[in-house]
């Protein structure tokens, strides 16, 4: 059963090749939404794409956030995810 809805920030190499496939392979997780500019690629997976991190973090369904953006943005985005609960 997939019961933890996951939000993924970023769908570049790290998000598309590593994080999204691993999240989707874990039976306890469900990739619920991805914050990305690559909307068509994400929606081809049957996953909702959102345009901004703020939109992802304001989604009450999301219980876990994975940051797959460029390294220099991790601190800020992880902090924003923690602040969003």
């Amino acid at each position: 059963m997939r019961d933890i809805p996951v939000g993924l920030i970023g769908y570049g190499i790290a998000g598309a090749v590593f994080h999204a496939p691993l999240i989707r392979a874990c039976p306890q997780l469900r990739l619920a939404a991805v914050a990305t500019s690559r909307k068509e690629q994400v929606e081809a997976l049957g996953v909702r794409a959102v345009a901004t991190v703020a939109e992802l973090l304001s989604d009450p369904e999301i219980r876990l956030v994975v940051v797959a953006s460029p390294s220099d943005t991790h601190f800020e985005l992880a902090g924003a995810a923690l602040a969003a609960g």
Side-chain angles (χ1 to χ4, degrees):
M1 177 176 208
R2 294 181 180 233
D3 44 54
I4 301 173
V6 179
L8 176 60
I9 299 174
Y11 201 71
I13 295 291
V17 175
F18 299 107
H19 298 293
L22 289 171
I23 294 165
R24 295 182 66 171
C26 183
Q28 295 85 8
L29 304 177
R30 178 175 53 86
L31 185 57
V34 180
T36 183
S37 61
R38 297 176 177 173
K39 180 178 180 175
E40 296 79 23
Q41 288 178 307
V42 170
E43 290 180 343
L45 300 173
V47 176
R48 184 169 52 96
V50 297
T52 67
V53 172
E55 185 177 353
L56 181 83
L57 297 180
S58 69
D59 184 340
E61 177 190 21
I62 302 297
R63 304 302 306 152
L64 171 69
V65 174
V66 174
V67 179
S69 60
S71 300
D72 63 343
T73 65
H74 286 188
F75 180 80
E76 177 185 348
L77 293 174
L82 289 169

